[in-house]
Amino acid sequence: MPKWLKITLKIAGALVGLIIILFIALTVYVNYNKQKVLAMITSELNKNINGTLTIGTIDPTLFKGFPGVSVELKDVVLKDNRWAEHHHTLLTAKDLEVSVNASALLKGEVVINKIDISNADIDLFTDSTGYSNTSIFKAKPKVEKDPKEKQTSSSTQIGRFSLNKVNFVVDDRHAYKLFKFAVNDIEGRMEYPAKGWNAGIDLNTMANSFSFNTRKGSFMKNRLLKGHFDISYDDNSQVINVAPNNLNIGDNPFTVGAQFNLKSPETDFTINLKVDDILWNDAANLLAANITKSLKMFDLTKPIDVTCDLKGSFGGGGDPSIYVTAKVKDNILKTRGGTIENCSFNGIFSNNYINGKGLNDDNSVIKLYHFNGSYKDIPFTIDTAFINNLNTPVATGIFRSHFPVTKLNPVIGDESLRFTKGIVDLKLAYKADIVNFKFTKPFVTGNVDIKNADVNYLPRGLVFKNNSIALKFTDKDLYINNIRLQNGSSIVYMQGKVSNFLNLYYTAPEKILIVWQITSPQIRLGEFLGFLNSRQGSGESSGGSGNRGISRAASKRVTNQLNTAFDKGQAELHLRLAKVYYKKFLATNVNADILLADNTMKMRNVSLKSSGGSLNLSGLVVQGPTNNFAISTTINHVNTNTFFASFNNFGLKDFTSDNLRGFLSARTDIKGAINNAGNLVPKSIRGTAMVNLKEGALVNFSPIKSVGKFAFPFRDLDNITFGDLKAQFDINGDKIKIAPMQINSSVLNMDVEGVYSLSRGTNIALDVPLRNPKNDSKIEDETQRNKKRMKGIVLHILATDGDDGKIKIKWNKNHKKTKADNDDQKTDDTQQAPEPKQD
């Protein structure tokens, strides 16, 4: 070894040994002068604080801070002067290690190179008046010092620092802010250029609360924050800059940057976050609870790109400005109302919708631009959709779509309407409330056109072919134009209007009144008997879960709303029909005003022509298991043969259209029931009929012919003509009470009174003079003619039920008593007239 190298190594070894000896000596010095050193450190640190710093014990740590001296402080407590009022200790540290400059320490000065804090609690507290325990660091008033007093200073520059297992809290009751961190580990290095400082920090901490407004909730609540920050501070601008860098928030990697303006009295800040490929729910959960709740009205199954800018101040009690953007492409959007496939849009959230109205929920907005998607295979676009005021959210936008009408079937369910053909073209501007984060009560304006549609109305079993409809929604009313409905051979053209439609649709569908103008070249009522049917069940199987269950529930709500509107809403119909067919009945020039409300059909101003005459009608029909009706009818000069045949003889068996000729005028007030097949319910008719028959004839009427076999064998009983026949019938179920009636005919005269039964209980008294009235018509004096009609031998006959169910003719020996009995007879459906004794 060269001599110079040996000398160099000896000198170096000597220097190292000397340093070690000095370091050991210094450590021994500190160890044997703990109280003195502790007093020096405590005194130095207490010089510039408005409070008290206490340290439990101090121990040097050999070589740990080499070449400086490391001192481990135990049980460090830092309190401000007003601690007794608020009881929030600024610092409580079980372990606090300080590395100080060795040479400065020998001179009686403390220069801190590194500080490590472990197992500690840091509580920065501000009370409701604005006082903060951080005022402990405010400079004390300057005091004139003795110039002979030795001047000392300690460096405020800290080279390195670390925190381990530290609970860090910023609790600002004045500004309603709360930041709570459970620090696992923080490592930092500080550099001090000419003006300011630079820091590199490695962060591993749990954010238990990050509340800019405790009344609204915390951002990043219970999320682990892990990453590196490069931070700088400039003395001139007094701005702290956090360079954009990667920070893991929970399981998602973000790029985070920030600025903090210390020059501002309130310490303004800006925080920028950016993340690619994050799930919607994960992004929403990082925001405050009030915002998270609003954003969770949606869910997107695929990751999205999100940015978030926060701007605010640490002073005051307001929320920060929040601006969130999201880019969505070919995603699946889930809402409480259903699932939207192939969804793409650019989304924005801001809590500053209108400048000057505050940063709050009332002034918050969600904007969706260029929204495209498909709901249950129905494609649609929304140019711009807004959801503003998150306290009472309202959604607005313009909805466009063009699709086959069959795609509506899954949307409206399978309980009301089922489309099999047709095209829908719609453009609607909508405004919808959001209650409990479900879109409800959408108010729309615009047009819906349906063309060439075939539809089944399932509850009534009706099928309409080749239909068209144009709906126009205004702010208040609904106009229904250009409707063409075809069911079988019946064709109906309709124009309608519903006033205050949307409001009533959601709040009181039973109060909806649609006014229809209806015309038709012909209607066959038999093709619409489905409206008399009981509603059919849906037959929908139960089951399903998840999104399918949500879709079913949404369809169920739409279906129930439609059914309520259809079944309970009111319709005012003004009909002008060229021809109406009902079984054998044909009416022409039909005019009617009909009100449909609450399963009731009220008919007014009904007029028509039929059977050579005319008919006017008013009344009502009430739907139920059977359809009850009450009708008042005026019939003028109709052909009796055709009229009776049209209505299947009104249920009469022994007296049919084949037995009657003439022209009938009548007024009826009857009540009854019709079954779902359109037939009269047996024994249901109640009421009165006033009949006037002119130019009448009784043809081949069996009861009269039976009498004639033995009473009038030489008279023509096959064709009995009448002059002017007036009668009153009281109908009660299957019993028809015949008021006292005179029949003057070409064959015989008779007085008739009694009860005719459609089942059992016929009891009709007939007083028949034997004289031939053939020439009575030649007597011009009506009084003389009436006196003569009952002259001579009069047969008193009783028509009653026979054992075989046919009417039997018997002598009415006690005709006066029978007449009295008939006057008092009760016509209950189950009661039968007593059978008189025979001669």
Side-chain angles (χ1 to χ4, degrees):
M1 180 182 297
K3 184 176 181 180
W4 61 268
L5 181 58
K6 291 181 179 179
I7 295 172
T8 300
L9 291 175
K10 288 179 180 180
I11 294 172
L15 291 173
V16 170
L18 179 61
I19 291 172
I20 293 173
I21 292 170
L22 290 173
F23 182 80
I24 294 173
L26 187 60
T27 302
V28 171
Y29 170 80
V30 171
N31 193 46
Y32 281 94
N33 295 274
K34 287 183 181 181
Q35 296 302 320
K36 180 179 178 181
V37 173
L38 179 60
M40 289 171 58
I41 294 175
T42 303
S43 174
E44 188 67 28
L45 294 177
N46 273 295
K47 283 181 180 179
N48 294 312
I49 63 174
N50 293 306
T52 60
L53 171 67
T54 61
I55 302 173
T57 61
I58 181 171
D59 289 306
T61 54
L62 187 64
F63 295 119
K64 191 171 183 179
F66 184 84
V69 176
S70 293
V71 179
E72 185 175 332
L73 307 179
K74 297 286 188 179
D75 301 324
V76 178
V77 177
L78 182 61
K79 299 179 181 180
D80 66 306
N81 286 334
R82 294 174 59 177
W83 180 89
E85 298 176 18
H86 54 71
H87 298 287
H88 284 263
T89 304
L90 183 65
L91 172 65
T92 303
K94 292 187 178 299
D95 301 291
L96 193 154
E97 187 173 309
V98 180
S99 176
V100 298
N101 183 280
S103 60
L105 186 63
L106 291 174
K107 298 175 183 179
E109 299 177 355
V110 178
V111 177
I112 301 174
N113 292 331
K114 181 182 180 183
I115 184 167
D116 296 319
I117 302 176
S118 301
N119 303 311
D121 294 296
I122 300 174
D123 186 358
L124 308 183
F125 174 75
T126 303
D127 66 17
S128 59
T129 67
Y131 170 77
S132 174
N133 62 358
T134 58
S135 62
I136 191 175
F137 298 114
K138 290 182 180 179
K140 290 184 177 181
K142 293 183 178 180
V143 179
E144 290 279 340
K145 292 188 177 181
D146 186 347
K148 296 181 180 180
E149 184 179 347
K150 185 178 180 181
Q151 300 295 320
T152 61
S153 64
S154 61
S155 173
T156 58
Q157 297 181 354
I158 300 175
R160 291 181 300 159
F161 62 89
S162 69
L163 285 80
N164 181 260
K165 296 182 180 179
V166 175
N167 293 317
F168 181 78
V169 178
V170 179
D171 185 0
D172 190 338
R173 307 285 175 85
H174 180 67
Y176 299 99
K177 298 184 185 328
L178 178 63
F179 303 97
K180 297 177 68 174
F181 300 94
V183 178
N184 298 320
D185 184 47
I186 292 179
E187 295 286 341
R189 292 179 176 272
M190 303 286 292
E191 294 179 354
Y192 299 91
K195 295 182 179 181
W197 50 261
N198 298 324
I201 298 176
D202 293 309
L203 177 70
N204 183 344
T205 182
M206 177 68 72
N208 293 322
S209 177
F210 200 78
S211 299
F212 294 100
N213 188 339
T214 53
R215 293 166 294 189
K216 299 296 178 63
S218 170
F219 292 78
M220 300 185 299
K221 187 175 179 62
N222 299 326
R223 292 293 188 278
L224 180 65
L225 310 181
K226 192 172 183 180
H228 176 82
F229 286 110
D230 292 315
I231 306 173
S232 63
Y233 173 73
D234 181 76
D235 288 336
N236 293 330
S237 64
Q238 298 184 40
V239 173
I240 298 175
N241 283 295
V242 181
N245 215 328
N246 292 332
L247 175 68
N248 285 344
I249 303 177
D251 297 327
N252 301 110
F254 282 76
T255 300
V256 179
Q259 283 189 340
F260 302 91
N261 186 0
L262 304 185
K263 194 173 185 179
S264 166
E266 303 292 341
T267 311
D268 296 337
F269 65 84
T270 299
I271 301 174
N272 309 109
L273 299 95
K274 183 178 182 299
V275 61
D276 298 330
D277 296 333
I278 187 173
L279 291 174
W280 179 272
N281 260 338
D282 291 344
N285 286 332
L286 295 178
L287 300 174
N290 63 314
I291 305 171
T292 299
K293 184 174 66 171
S294 301
L295 294 180
K296 278 194 171 182
M297 70 179 73
F298 308 112
D299 186 23
L300 291 160
T301 60
K302 299 178 183 178
I304 59 175
D305 299 341
V306 176
T307 68
C308 178
D309 297 330
L310 303 175
K311 294 182 179 180
S313 65
F314 288 103
D319 292 334
S321 168
I322 305 169
Y323 189 83
V324 180
T325 70
K327 291 184 178 180
V328 178
K329 183 70 174 177
D330 297 328
N331 217 310
I332 299 174
L333 172 62
K334 296 180 180 179
T335 72
R336 301 292 177 88
T339 299
I340 298 175
E341 306 280 348
N342 306 316
C343 179
S344 299
F345 63 87
N346 293 329
I348 291 174
F349 168 82
S350 173
N351 65 343
N352 188 27
Y353 180 35
I354 300 175
N355 288 330
K357 289 196 172 183
L359 306 174
N360 49 55
D361 288 347
D362 288 342
N363 197 32
S364 294
V365 65
I366 297 172
K367 302 178 183 179
L368 305 178
Y369 295 100
H370 310 299
F371 194 111
N372 299 293
S374 61
Y375 178 73
K376 293 183 181 274
D377 272 347
I378 298 176
F380 66 90
T381 61
I382 302 175
D383 296 335
T384 302
F386 280 18
I387 302 172
N388 62 298
N389 191 344
L390 300 186
N391 281 326
T392 55
V394 176
T396 59
I398 298 178
F399 186 93
R400 306 172 191 265
S401 189
H402 179 85
F403 58 92
V405 71
T406 52
K407 292 183 179 293
L408 282 177
N409 292 330
V411 179
I412 64 178
D414 55 1
E415 293 184 1
S416 292
L417 302 175
R418 180 178 297 153
F419 294 94
T420 57
K421 189 184 77 171
I423 295 293
V424 176
D425 192 3
L426 61 85
K427 179 183 177 181
L428 297 173
Y430 65 87
K431 182 178 181 181
D433 293 337
I434 305 175
V435 180
N436 296 325
F437 308 102
K438 300 176 185 177
F439 288 99
T440 63
K441 301 182 181 179
F443 282 78
V444 298
T445 59
N447 300 293
V448 178
D449 293 315
I450 302 175
K451 298 179 180 178
N452 304 319
D454 292 352
V455 58
N456 297 351
Y457 181 44
L458 301 174
R460 305 298 184 184
L462 298 174
V463 179
F464 299 97
K465 297 286 187 179
N466 195 27
N467 308 291
S468 63
I469 184 172
L471 305 178
K472 181 179 180 181
F473 294 89
T474 66
D475 290 340
K476 294 182 179 179
D477 304 329
L478 167 64
Y479 294 89
I480 309 171
N481 302 317
N482 304 325
I483 297 179
R484 181 188 185 277
L485 296 178
Q486 182 172 347
N487 183 27
S489 59
S490 300
I491 300 175
V492 178
Y493 299 98
M494 305 173 65
Q495 303 283 335
K497 177 185 177 182
V498 183
S499 299
N500 200 21
F501 170 69
L502 287 173
N503 183 47
L504 292 176
Y505 180 78
Y506 297 114
T507 59
E510 69 280 0
K511 294 183 180 179
I512 285 178
L513 173 63
I514 181 168
V515 179
W516 288 109
Q517 305 296 332
I518 302 173
T519 61
S520 174
Q522 71 169 25
I523 288 181
R524 296 186 180 273
L525 293 181
E527 295 170 344
F528 292 89
L529 286 178
F531 282 110
L532 297 178
N533 293 338
S534 298
R535 289 177 55 82
Q536 300 171 3
S538 66
E540 179 182 352
S541 61
S542 61
S545 60
N547 297 329
R548 183 181 178 189
I550 292 175
S551 297
R552 285 178 180 269
S555 296
K556 188 75 172 178
R557 288 193 298 271
V558 173
T559 299
N560 289 342
Q561 203 77 22
L562 285 172
N563 286 342
T564 301
F566 284 149
D567 286 351
K568 293 187 177 181
Q570 304 177 64
E572 183 180 305
L573 285 64
H574 302 282
L575 292 88
R576 305 296 180 261
L577 314 175
K579 294 181 180 180
V580 175
Y581 294 91
Y582 179 65
K583 295 186 176 181
K584 298 177 182 179
F585 175 75
L586 169 63
T588 60
N589 298 328
V590 177
N591 297 299
D593 296 325
I594 299 175
L595 176 65
L596 304 176
D598 195 21
N599 293 324
T600 299
M601 179 172 64
K602 297 180 180 179
M603 297 168 286
R604 297 172 295 181
N605 305 321
V606 180
S607 64
L608 57 89
K609 294 181 179 180
S610 179
S611 304
S614 64
L615 183 146
N616 294 283
L617 180 146
S618 63
L620 61 85
V621 178
V622 179
Q623 290 182 309
T626 57
N627 304 284
N628 298 314
F629 66 85
I631 296 175
S632 295
T633 308
T634 301
I635 302 170
N636 293 307
H637 203 68
V638 300
N639 186 300
T640 55
N641 177 266
T642 306
F643 191 69
F644 268 62
S646 297
F647 288 98
N648 200 26
N649 302 309
F650 298 96
L652 302 175
K653 296 179 180 178
D654 298 303
F655 185 78
T656 69
S657 62
D658 294 334
N659 302 124
L660 189 61
R661 299 288 186 272
F663 296 94
L664 176 68
S665 295
R667 175 169 179 81
T668 64
D669 291 289
I670 59 174
K671 298 180 180 179
I674 302 174
N675 60 27
N676 291 334
N679 298 317
L680 288 171
V681 175
K683 301 182 180 181
S684 67
I685 303 298
R686 303 285 190 277
T688 301
M690 306 291 292
V691 178
N692 184 5
L693 180 64
K694 294 183 177 180
E695 301 178 27
L698 198 60
V699 180
N700 292 322
F701 187 45
S702 297
I704 300 298
K705 291 179 67 175
S706 298
V707 174
K709 288 181 181 179
F710 61 90
F712 312 106
F714 302 108
R715 300 183 192 180
D716 183 8
L717 301 178
D718 293 329
N719 185 30
I720 305 174
T721 61
F722 300 90
D724 187 1
L725 177 62
K726 295 181 180 180
Q728 176 178 334
F729 303 97
D730 295 321
I731 307 169
N732 191 356
D734 63 343
K735 305 294 192 301
I736 301 173
K737 182 180 179 181
I738 304 169
M741 176 178 63
Q742 291 183 351
I743 299 176
N744 301 314
S745 71
S746 61
V747 175
L748 77 164
N749 297 329
M750 71 174 70
D751 290 346
V752 180
E753 182 181 3
V755 175
Y756 175 77
S757 175
L758 300 178
S759 55
R760 301 283 297 178
T762 296
N763 189 18
I764 303 174
L766 301 96
D767 296 331
V768 184
L770 296 181
R771 60 179 295 276
N772 193 335
K774 183 177 181 180
N775 296 321
D776 286 0
S777 60
K778 297 178 181 180
I779 304 173
E780 295 181 0
D781 189 314
E782 184 178 354
T783 303
Q784 293 298 321
R785 189 168 59 248
N786 288 336
K787 287 182 178 180
K788 191 174 181 180
R789 65 182 295 275
M790 297 299 287
K791 293 291 184 179
I793 300 173
V794 179
L795 300 180
H796 302 290
I797 301 170
L798 196 64
T800 62
D801 298 322
D803 295 335
D804 57 359
K806 296 182 179 180
I807 293 179
K808 299 296 182 181
I809 302 299
K810 305 177 182 179
W811 294 115
N812 188 5
K813 184 177 180 181
N814 299 316
H815 66 280
K816 292 183 179 180
K817 181 177 183 300
T818 302
K819 183 176 184 301
D821 290 342
N822 285 340
D823 288 339
D824 298 333
Q825 180 181 8
K826 294 182 181 179
T827 54
D828 185 85
D829 290 349
T830 58
Q831 185 176 355
Q832 298 182 10
E835 186 172 331
K837 297 180 180 179
Q838 298 188 31
D839 291 339

